[in-house]
Each structure stands twice: as C-alpha cells, then as structure tokens.
Amino acid sequence: MKILVAGAAGKTGRQVVEKALLAGHYVVAFVHNPEEDQKHPFPDSVEVIHGDVQNPTRLEHAMQGCHAVIDTLGGKTPFKSTDLEASAAKVILEVMHRVGATRLLAISVLGAADTKDQAGFFYEHLLIPLFLSGAIQDKNNMEAEVMHSDIDWTIVRPPVLTDHEATGQVHIVPAHTQAHKITRADLAQFLVDNLTSKAHTHQAITIANS
C-alpha cells in the first residue's frame, strides 16, 4: 500500500515511517522543514516531499497514488492556542477526496473529547488546564473535522508517550478507565497494523501499554 505520513519528521512520525517500511508499504514522508531530514535522513526507499500540510496544492502533489494517510502532526507549543491540526485535517481530508485515498488514521491525545477522566488527577486537573489547553482544543477541533467526514477514519488517543523500546503490548482502554503511558514505537505499530484493518473504523479509541 502507498501511504503518506504527515508530520513524518517528528519523533512519532519517524517511528511510523519505520514500521510502515517494515510492513512492506511504500511510504511518502511529508516534511515541513527540509532541515529536519537533512539532519536525520530517511532511508533511501522513502519518498520525501517537503511542504506545508495546509497547502492543498503541495499536499495533493505528495498524495498522488496514495491509498491511506497517517496524520502524526503535533504542536510544538502545546500551551499556546493554535488551529494547526484542525486546519491540517481539513486540508488532508479535502485532498484525500480528490486523489481517491480512503483510509485515515489520526493521532489525537488523551484528554480530548470525553477522555479527561482517563488521564488521572494530575493530568486532568493540572497538566491539561495549565499546559495543554491550547493543544487539547486544537485536537478536539481536529477530531470534529475527521468525524464529520465520510473517509474510513480512526482516531487514536494515546496517553503519555515514551521513547522506550516497543513492548508489543498494546491495549484498548475502555471508557472511564485510566490509561498511563505508551511507547512511540508501540503507537506507531498500532497505526500501521490498522491501515488494512476495519476493526476500528469510525471510532476514536484510547490505547496504552498500561
């Protein structure tokens, strides 16, 4: 399958690219800043395209022939208000319709929508209101854009991300049950595994190692 990874130069995006290659997919890495892949080059088998994800012309060029998109975008300053992810999602969906891509997996965050009670006291009452309020609102708006589309979408809400080695143990966390952490590697593997799965289409789910 030919897939586009938006935000491919980020920590999670790079994990997704790696796991997608190992799964045999053809990967287009969409990267905003050319310096990011110059400092840390992608494998030669990855097609790297630079551009602003909010630029529909550039994104359409990158997405030609793609069957699916994995959106790993995340704000650099979560304590500030932004509309980056919601705006990007709107453009991604518009371009997907134009090129005929049918599968979207998007990373949200624990605390979005009705998942605050899954985050624990510190996360819910201190971290979210003090540092993540801008990011949470943007994620909520991004989710709304995705949920109102007719694409085969899945939204994944991870808790705290770690850079540890993959555990291979990923659990879907039921509503009102706390989730604690997940490795980026396990998150990436889950996203790639669900490219061809219908199990969680039109669902927003929380996943965790523990």
Side-chain angles (χ1 to χ4, degrees):
M1 179 185 288
K2 185 176 182 180
I3 70 168
L4 181 138
V5 180
K11 283 186 176 183
T12 303
R14 286 183 177 275
Q15 289 278 357
V16 169
V17 169
E18 177 185 325
K19 303 301 183 187
L21 289 176
L22 289 173
H25 298 295
Y26 183 93
V27 180
V28 180
F30 197 73
V31 177
H32 184 262
N33 186 351
E35 293 180 0
E36 291 295 328
D37 61 283
Q38 291 169 1
K39 289 187 293 186
H40 305 287
F42 289 95
D44 291 341
S45 57
V46 176
E47 182 181 352
V48 180
I49 297 182
H50 303 121
D52 184 345
V53 74
Q54 297 176 89
N55 181 329
T57 301
R58 190 63 180 161
L59 188 61
E60 184 170 352
H61 166 71
M63 208 185 292
Q64 289 297 325
C66 288
H67 305 92
V69 175
I70 300 181
D71 177 0
T72 71
L73 294 169
K76 300 290 186 183
T77 52
F79 51 88
K80 293 184 178 180
S81 295
T82 176
D83 65 352
L84 169 64
E85 294 188 53
S87 297
K90 184 175 182 178
V91 176
I92 287 170
L93 289 162
E94 290 173 352
V95 174
M96 286 181 72
H97 279 106
R98 288 207 290 270
V99 304
T102 58
R103 184 76 171 109
L104 173 65
L105 292 114
I107 299 176
S108 186
V109 68
L110 188 67
D114 57 354
T115 63
K116 287 183 180 179
D117 63 343
Q118 292 186 289
F121 182 88
F122 175 80
Y123 197 102
E124 179 181 357
H125 296 284
L126 295 175
L127 198 60
I128 290 175
L130 292 178
F131 298 105
L132 298 178
S133 57
I136 293 290
Q137 186 58 54
D138 196 17
K139 289 289 192 185
N140 284 337
N141 293 338
M142 177 275 287
E143 289 194 9
E145 290 285 352
V146 173
M147 289 179 179
H148 285 94
S149 75
D150 57 2
I151 293 291
D152 284 339
W153 56 267
T154 300
I155 292 170
V156 179
R157 299 167 175 154
V160 174
L161 294 171
T162 76
D163 295 322
H164 298 149
E165 295 293 321
T167 68
Q169 301 295 319
V170 177
H171 308 286
I172 296 172
V173 183
H176 312 302
T177 302
Q178 287 190 11
H180 301 288
K181 61 184 178 179
I182 189 170
T183 70
R184 295 180 191 276
D186 284 317
L187 169 60
Q189 189 64 63
F190 183 88
L191 293 165
V192 170
D193 288 347
N194 277 271
L195 281 168
T196 55
S197 171
K198 296 288 188 181
H200 305 296
T201 54
H202 299 149
Q203 293 180 20
I205 55 176
T206 299
I207 64 171
N209 294 138
S210 61

